[in-house]
Amino acid sequence: MDLGFTEEEEMLRDAVAEVLDKGAPFDKVKEIEMTAEGYDPALWQQLAELEMLGIFFPEQYGGSDLPFIHVAIVMEELGKRAIHCPYMSTVVESGLLITEGGNDRQKEARLPRIAAGELFMSCAFYEEEGGYSKECIQMEAVKDGNDWVLNGSKLFVPDANIAEALIVAARTEEGITLFLTDTRASGVRLDKIPTVGMDNLCRVKFHNLKVSEVLGEVGRGWELVEKVAGKFAAAKCAEMVGGMKTALEMTVGYSKEREQYGRPIGGYQALQHYMANMLMAYDTSFNYLYKVIWKIDASRDYAVDAAALKAYVNQSYNYVAERSIQIHGGIGTTRECDIGLFYRRAKACEYAAGDTRHHLENVAAAMGL
Amino acid sequence: MDFSLTKEQIALKVEFEAFFREEMKNAPPDIGHVHESDAAFDFHRYMMKRLGEKGWIAISWPEEYGGSGRPLMDHYLFNTVRASFGAPGIDQFGAEMYGPTVLLAGSEEQKKRLLPPIARGEVVYCQGWSEPNSGSDLASLKTSAKRDGDHYVVNGQKIWNTGGNRADRIFMLARTNPEEPRGKGLSIFSADMRSEGIEVRPIEYMDGRGEVYNYNEVWFTNVRIPAEDRIGPENAGWKITRETMNFERSGIGGFIMVEQMLEKLVDYCKSARRNGKLLAEDPSVRLKLAEIYAELQAKRTIADRIAWLQDSAGSHKIPPHYASEGKVMGTELIQKVTYLATELLGRHGQVTKSEWTKIKGVAESFYMCVGANIYAGSNEIQRNITAWAGLGLPRFS
Ligand SMILES: Cc1cc2nc3c(=O)[nH]c(=O)nc-3n(C[C@H](O)[C@H](O)[C@H](O)COP(=O)(O)OP(=O)(O)OC[C@H]3O[C@@H](n4cnc5c(N)ncnc54)[C@H](O)[C@@H]3O)c2cc1C
């Protein structure tokens, strides 16, 4: 067993941390989330220059071909700053689907542009039903000669407002199929949905949109999604573990400084027990996260663990963030105090890459129930 | 024992209900908290006037001070019905805190001068207790009030002042004896918010959109307060405040909020599907909803008990741990039902107030519930009180 990071991994973490410490202070994060674009183009370029945007892509497509643990490290560092940036939608989700399911031409056309920071993409899977299963996808793609025609709405599509292209899941006669679509086509309408995360979730409406490009095989789109879903979840968990770490540190730090009744509030055992619980939630989440990441990189079965991890981390991050506010007292409820960012992000993260019910259902099924 | 209402009480309840049913037709659409917009606040003022005319703001106060001279139980019934309509019109600070304080500790002159305008719904108060360094440890507060002839000169800063930007008057605690660093040096005052030297600076709530809460910093620079607006003897403010803190802490409003959110959630589950199945048919959903129901029914009985204790004592003064229990249980159950709502809504659980909202109030409550666990004495402090006063457990100092 060796539960440490390699020197290379540490270096990568330091490099990302340096860029984010400069480019993403909390004030900036709060300023950016209020803008229509909802991300910081300058920061994105810096991440591109650091070669973080093609981190696991094959080298021939502009990537670094590094193991998944590097993705986790980047996500963790992003999560520590509670920053929204299109890393999950573009690099992790779209990038994984294209590397796993795309043909050479599709990879060639998109991966190098993503890696260079020139292309944003996102996945438009889910609809009116709030869930995550195949049954929640009702939109039909109607065959029209060599093309298909899309009509209907997708909800909570991350970063669609800045994405040039979407991977849309729709039903065809053969089954669920993934289509590559251009968001700037005239049959596409976008609205940003106001959410607690303020993180660029959109409704995308399709009106007689003609599409011709399929990702993977017609009718087998959902298999492709399921193949990478565990990695989506694990990557998101890394962001959440990062968030937990900062929330815990900020709270412990504050509780040592803030005095009431002539003593630091961190000395009161009621609060100490919350913080002890928060530390346990963090430590276990961190360890389990990297165990799952290791399984991914070691090509072991990881699907069930990734589901269990996401369910666990959903609960843990929400707990840590909520208690963080409580320990801060009144100041914690303000926009000015940065701890509120984590309360809001924890909730938003809960829904990304599968909510608790969804993952626990999968775990229960895997347990033979 | 008898948990039922008398015939007269039932008749009164019916009267309250008829009134709110009618008046709430005038409410601005989609009304949330009273400070959310000018329209919401105007409606609050209008309702204050209407309730004043009815004599319901000060139901239990003596008639000579503008009240209706009725039992405290009627007040409880009124609050129950008002909460169930989500109706504004009661100034939580003037009618529920400052008024009873004056009633308890004010001079005859003060009662005659200060209480009737509150009872008529003409004046909106805000509460100036907390300071940046004196939250839980309120008695350590530093805002000073120095006697100068027939006035006091007040200097200092208050914080977390709910609605201070719209209030007409502030009631507050200030230090009249600088030699006494804690409770023994405090007095109660009230002041016109338009007094020279008062400055109100808004604080932005976590949501960043002003939709959830409205609180402020209030700065005092050489503010002159007439000595006749000091309530109770000089330096007796803390003793009085500790009694008035527990007024209207039956927590019934909180339990009614839980009840209403639970109802909306049940309705939602009867029509919304997840993975092709009705949520209401999912055993894990059913049990979670039923669990909240059981908790709600059990916990709201504490509000009944508090009301009954106060009613039979003919006074707000009851053992303080009851009020603390009610506050803790009400606020934490709202939080629990809110988080359950965000869970059962699936992805819709993250949507903030907008045309996309599926269940009204969930997003606001997601933001507000964490504040509720802190305000009016944090839930840790309430548990301390419950342990010390309710159980007589040792208190380390
Ligand atoms: C939404 C909202 C509205 C408010 N409205 C008003 C208002 O209108 N007027 C007004 O005067 N005030 C108002 N307040 C202020 C409120 O009363 C204080 O926030 C509260 O008393 C806590 O004080 P604090 O914020 O300074 O936190 P602190 O006292 O610093 O507490 C921080 C943390 O330490 C804990 N803690 C402190 N002491 C102990 C202890 N001995 N044992 C265990 N834990 C402890 C607290 O429970 C909390 O978790 C409002 C607050 C909020 C959040």
Side-chain angles (χ1 to χ4, degrees), chain A residues 34 126-136 155-158 191-199 201-203 258-263 270-271 274 315 318 322-323 325-336 340-341 343-344 347-358 361, chain B residues 131-138 140 159-160 182 203-209 215 268 273-277 279 282 284-285 288 332 335 339-356 358 363 365-367 369-371 373-374 378-381 383-384 395-397:
Chain A
M34 290 297 204
Y126 303 103
E127 299 167 18
E128 182 57 27
E129 256 201 55
Y132 301 79
S133 68
K134 198 171 164 176
E135 289 73 30
C136 296
L155 286 183
F156 305 109
V157 184
D191 295 283
K192 219 163 144 171
I193 306 173
T195 54
V196 293
M198 299 187 203
D199 50 356
L201 295 182
C202 301
R203 174 178 64 187
R258 169 74 173 172
E259 293 192 1
Q260 285 294 280
Y261 305 97
R263 298 199 170 131
L271 303 196
Y274 299 151
Q315 305 291 1
N318 276 287
E322 185 275 338
R323 284 293 91 181
I325 307 255
Q326 182 68 21
I327 294 166
H328 274 77
I331 193 75
T333 64
T334 63
R335 173 81 176 154
E336 189 195 342
L341 278 169
Y343 181 63
R344 295 172 29 234
K347 196 77 215 172
C349 286
E350 179 183 329
Y351 303 104
D355 66 6
T356 310
R357 290 189 157 263
H358 169 74
E361 269 303 330
Chain B
E131 295 181 8
N133 290 316
S134 303
S136 297
D137 183 15
L138 186 59
S140 68
I159 196 169
W160 314 125
R182 300 194 55 80
I203 306 173
E204 208 177 351
Y205 201 75
M206 189 201 301
D207 67 307
R209 304 207 305 177
Y215 47 21
Y268 174 79
R273 288 170 188 279
R274 188 68 27 89
N275 305 332
K277 257 195 310 206
L279 278 171
D282 179 333
S284 75
V285 172
K288 283 200 173 184
E332 292 181 3
Q335 181 172 31
Y339 290 172
L340 179 60
T342 63
E343 176 189 329
L344 298 183
L345 280 161
R347 297 181 162 238
H348 300 282
Q350 62 194 315
V351 172
T352 48
K353 189 176 177 182
S354 61
E355 79 263 31
W356 307 84
K358 294 261 174 209
S365 185
F366 168 76
Y367 282 127
C369 66
V370 282
N373 289 342
I374 295 163
S378 74
N379 288 5
E380 287 72 34
I381 298 301
R383 283 187 164 89
N384 286 349
R395 177 176 187 171
F396 301 138
S397 59

Side-chain angles (χ1 to χ4, degrees), chain A residues 174-189:
Chain A
E174 297 85 354
I176 291 178
T177 303
L178 301 183
F179 295 96
L180 284 157
T181 67
D182 185 345
T183 51
R184 284 164 301 189
S186 62
V188 180
R189 206 195 120 168

Side-chain angles (χ1 to χ4, degrees), chain A residues 149-323:
Chain A
V149 177
L150 298 182
N151 275 296
S153 289
K154 294 289 180 181
L155 286 183
F156 305 109
V157 184
D159 301 313
N161 55 326
I162 52 170
E164 188 181 306
L166 296 177
I167 301 169
V168 182
R171 290 188 177 274
T172 59
E173 266 174 33
E174 297 85 354
I176 291 178
T177 303
L178 301 183
F179 295 96
L180 284 157
T181 67
D182 185 345
T183 51
R184 284 164 301 189
S186 62
V188 180
R189 206 195 120 168
L190 295 172
D191 295 283
K192 219 163 144 171
I193 306 173
T195 54
V196 293
M198 299 187 203
D199 50 356
N200 274 353
L201 295 182
C202 301
R203 174 178 64 187
V204 185
K205 274 188 170 170
F206 301 96
H207 180 70
N208 289 334
L209 180 74
K210 256 202 177 148
V211 289
S212 52
E213 208 179 341
V214 170
L215 183 67
E217 287 173 49
V218 173
R220 303 193 58 183
W222 203 249
E223 287 163 41
L224 182 53
V225 170
E226 287 192 326
K227 194 169 161 205
V228 289
K231 289 188 185 174
F232 289 8
K236 196 70 199 176
C237 287
E239 177 185 342
M240 298 167 81
V241 163
M244 283 163 84
K245 178 154 207 231
T246 310
L248 178 58
E249 280 174 3
M250 283 172 69
T251 302
V252 170
Y254 183 77
S255 79
K256 290 178 181 170
E257 277 166 23
R258 169 74 173 172
E259 293 192 1
Q260 285 294 280
Y261 305 97
R263 298 199 170 131
I265 56 170
Y268 295 114
Q269 290 182 349
L271 303 196
Q272 288 180 346
H273 289 185
Y274 299 151
M275 288 185 275
N277 290 339
M278 288 156 71
L279 179 62
M280 290 187 244
Y282 169 73
D283 279 343
T284 47
S285 297
F286 176 88
N287 283 325
Y288 195 19
L289 165 69
Y290 281 100
K291 180 168 184 185
V292 173
I293 299 290
W294 163 76
K295 285 194 167 190
I296 291 173
D297 284 332
S299 303
R300 311 243 171 164
D301 279 346
Y302 61 85
V304 184
D305 275 312
L309 172 73
K310 182 65 173 40
Y312 185 77
V313 172
N314 276 350
Q315 305 291 1
S316 301
Y317 190 12
N318 276 287
Y319 171 75
V320 167
E322 185 275 338
R323 284 293 91 181

